[in-house]
Amino acid sequence: MFGASALTFAQAADLTQIDRLTQQWLDIQRQTSQLVVDWQSSEPVLQQRVTLLSAEKKQLQEILNQSKDSQEDVTKRRTELLQQQSNLEQQQAALANKLSLLEDQVTHFSNLLPPPLQNAWAQQQISTSDDNDTSKNLQAALGKLNSLMDFQKRISVHEGPISLSSEGEVMVKQLYLGVSAAWFVSADGKLTGQGLVKDGQWMWVEDPSLSGDEIMKAIDIFERRKQADFIELPVRLTRLETPSGNAQ
């Protein structure tokens, strides 16, 4: 009887265990079913959020890429501008050096030129003496050379005082044939001479052998007070020394 009671108690315990496990399994099944139902109801919303997040991520990535490209473009452009600035500064320095050499040559030649041209150059120099603008100084130097070429190509007449070693300052008329030949004559025709370069300086030299009438006649023809005619005047050629010591 004791053995039968023990068996019955054991069987009852097993049944209780089975019921508890069965209940747990049923609970798990209900939870699983509920999870499935919840997932099925939430899936469309979650999928939509995933889609929106993916689109937003793509847009943000494109913005980042554009920002990176833009930054690279800015850096590249800045590098190009710095290189251009460096090139311009080098060109400016080279131009300034060449301009300095040109101005030295122009200054040297100014002493070899006839007084009217010297005066014109002096006026041009005054207008740029206080200006450090390389471009303006270059234009001024080129302007002087252009006026030199213009003077060289024509005959010109000027009237004004000149300095002679024997007479001091006298008023005369001056006839220029370019920049290489010049003659002068006083109003009464008694004082005559030539202009020439001597010791690196333009000088007026009295020459009594010159005919004052011939010089006056040449001036009258130039000023159209007389008809054109042949005039004989002596020409003395001089050597112009450049800054490098070469003769021209």
Side-chain angles (χ1 to χ4, degrees):
M1 184 176 180
F2 178 78
S5 296
L7 179 61
T8 301
F9 180 77
Q11 290 176 343
D14 289 340
L15 290 173
T16 301
Q17 181 69 18
I18 289 172
D19 288 341
R20 188 169 61 253
L21 292 175
T22 301
Q23 186 62 42
Q24 290 179 356
W25 181 82
L26 289 174
D27 290 342
I28 291 173
Q29 282 294 101
R30 282 195 299 270
Q31 291 176 8
T32 302
S33 298
Q34 185 62 43
L35 287 173
V36 171
V37 171
D38 291 345
W39 166 249
Q40 289 176 345
S41 62
S42 301
E43 182 182 13
V45 177
L46 294 174
Q47 289 291 347
Q48 185 178 11
R49 291 185 63 187
V50 169
T51 302
L52 292 174
L53 289 172
S54 296
E56 184 177 359
K57 177 183 177 183
K58 182 179 179 180
Q59 184 177 11
L60 289 173
Q61 188 62 49
E62 290 176 352
I63 292 174
L64 288 174
N65 292 338
Q66 291 176 358
S67 177
K68 181 179 179 181
D69 293 342
S70 177
Q71 184 64 32
E72 289 177 351
D73 290 342
V74 170
T75 301
K76 181 180 179 181
R77 182 57 179 163
R78 181 173 179 274
T79 301
E80 291 175 350
L81 290 175
L82 289 175
Q83 184 61 46
Q84 291 178 6
Q85 179 181 356
S86 177
N87 292 339
L88 289 174
E89 289 175 351
Q90 292 176 6
Q91 294 175 9
Q92 181 78 3
L95 177 60
N97 184 51
K98 292 180 180 179
L99 177 58
S100 178
L101 294 176
L102 176 60
E103 288 177 332
D104 289 343
Q105 291 181 336
V106 168
T107 299
H108 170 78
F109 279 120
S110 65
N111 296 325
L112 312 179
L113 300 178
L117 194 53
Q118 287 188 28
N119 294 335
W121 279 24
Q123 291 300 319
Q124 289 176 298
Q125 186 64 35
I126 291 174
S127 64
T128 59
S129 59
D130 297 327
D131 200 336
N132 293 323
D133 190 316
T134 302
S135 178
K136 290 183 179 180
N137 290 336
L138 176 59
Q139 291 179 0
L142 294 178
K144 291 179 180 180
L145 294 178
N146 286 335
S147 62
L148 169 61
M149 295 300 296
D150 181 65
F151 198 96
Q152 172 65 15
K153 292 186 295 185
R154 59 186 173 87
I155 298 173
S156 57
V157 172
H158 295 267
E159 185 172 9
I162 65 172
S163 295
L164 296 174
S165 58
S166 59
E167 301 287 338
E169 190 172 271
V170 293
M171 182 69 67
V172 296
K173 273 197 169 184
Q174 307 140 37
L175 174 66
Y176 297 93
L177 179 61
V179 297
S180 58
W183 305 267
F184 68 85
V185 60
S186 60
D188 58 9
K190 295 181 179 180
L191 187 63
T192 60
Q194 287 185 266
L196 56 96
V197 175
K198 185 177 181 181
D199 297 330
Q201 190 78 27
W202 179 274
M203 297 182 61
W204 294 107
V205 179
E206 185 179 357
D207 186 352
S209 67
L210 291 176
S211 170
D213 291 339
E214 287 293 292
I215 298 175
M216 289 296 298
K217 182 178 179 181
I219 294 174
D220 288 340
I221 291 174
F222 174 79
E223 295 178 340
R224 298 184 178 180
R225 289 195 297 268
K226 289 186 178 181
Q227 293 184 349
D229 196 0
F230 288 104
I231 302 295
E232 291 187 5
L233 293 173
V235 176
R236 180 182 298 179
L237 298 180
T238 59
R239 286 156 51 92
L240 302 184
E241 296 293 333
T242 66
S244 59
N246 297 324
Q248 294 188 342

